[in-house]
Amino acid sequence: MPPRYDSPEHWDATRAQEDLDFHMKHGGVGGPMPEERKPGRKGKLSFVDKEQIDFIRFATKKNIWYYRDRLLCVRGPCTLPVLRECWVKGIIDENTLIWGQGLQDYIPVKNVRTLLPQIRTPEVRFATWISKHSLARQLNKVRQLRGENRLRESKQVENMR
């Protein structure tokens, strides 16, 4: 269903898209890094720099993302919570190719400056750690069971001769 042009959602989306287009003309996703934030530089951020950083975080948070899985099939549209869930499950990582509004082509997640920190929140890191450790325990149990079954199967084969 096409958007209604008299709805507030349309105007908010149009405004966000116009702002994103403006920032893309002036340095890409995230824009140029303020001098004060470059490594090795000390100083405070100006009001404009803070506003720019807040806008970029908002734009990446509200964007709709598409990613390419390990077979290079396009998956999406995804919101930020879906990307977080995919990260916890191990479906995506920092090298996964991703595309969203404002990007010309698929690029690795690690190259979109504000997206990776928004995906890898402390909660996501903790959930990833839990899933890795619980999965390792489950895999060890399965390996032990399969090892026992292999011994049984090998005896059956020997008995058939």
Side-chain angles (χ1 to χ4, degrees), residues 18-38:
E18 289 171 357
D19 290 344
L20 187 59
D21 291 342
F22 172 79
H23 287 285
M24 287 302 297
K25 289 179 187 174
H26 300 287
V29 175
M33 186 174 258
E35 286 295 318
E36 294 86 2
R37 293 292 296 223
K38 288 188 178 176

Side-chain angles (χ1 to χ4, degrees), residues 90-106:
I91 297 170
I92 65 170
D93 60 6
E94 61 185 14
N95 296 317
T96 302
L97 298 175
I98 196 160
W99 178 85
Q101 285 184 344
L103 297 177
Q104 292 180 356
D105 200 5
Y106 283 87

Side-chain angles (χ1 to χ4, degrees), residues 9-143:
E9 294 83 16
H10 169 73
W11 293 110
D12 291 344
T14 303
R15 171 64 188 214
Q17 183 62 44
E18 289 171 357
D19 290 344
L20 187 59
D21 291 342
F22 172 79
H23 287 285
M24 287 302 297
K25 289 179 187 174
H26 300 287
V29 175
M33 186 174 258
E35 286 295 318
E36 294 86 2
R37 293 292 296 223
K38 288 188 178 176
R41 306 257 182 185
K42 294 184 178 178
K44 294 183 178 179
L45 290 175
S46 68
F47 176 75
V48 174
D49 293 336
K50 289 179 184 177
E51 286 294 316
Q52 182 182 16
I53 291 169
D54 287 343
F55 172 77
I56 293 164
R57 285 184 183 146
F58 174 78
T60 55
K61 185 177 182 180
K62 294 296 180 184
N63 203 350
I64 301 297
W65 300 98
Y66 295 83
Y67 68 92
R68 291 188 179 265
D69 62 9
R70 287 176 172 75
L71 299 174
L72 297 179
C73 294
V74 176
R75 306 289 181 184
C78 301
T79 57
L80 202 54
V82 173
L83 291 177
R84 288 181 185 135
E85 186 177 341
C86 290
W87 187 281
V88 170
K89 292 180 179 179
I91 297 170
I92 65 170
D93 60 6
E94 61 185 14
N95 296 317
T96 302
L97 298 175
I98 196 160
W99 178 85
Q101 285 184 344
L103 297 177
Q104 292 180 356
D105 200 5
Y106 283 87
I107 60 173
V109 172
K110 64 184 175 187
N111 291 355
V112 181
R113 184 181 312 151
T114 58
L115 184 60
L116 193 58
Q118 288 183 355
I119 292 175
R120 293 189 65 212
T121 60
E123 296 86 7
V124 170
R125 289 181 184 182
F126 181 70
T128 304
W129 183 82
I130 293 291
S131 66
K132 276 186 180 179
H133 285 78
S134 67
L135 182 62
R137 283 189 225 124
Q138 292 173 355
L139 284 175
N140 287 335
K141 289 178 184 177
V142 169
R143 287 179 185 138

Side-chain angles (χ1 to χ4, degrees), residues 150-161:
R150 284 187 196 136
L151 294 176
R152 290 182 199 148
E153 291 173 8
S154 65
K155 290 177 184 176
Q156 290 176 354
V157 171
E158 290 174 4
N159 291 338
M160 289 174 48
R161 291 184 184 179

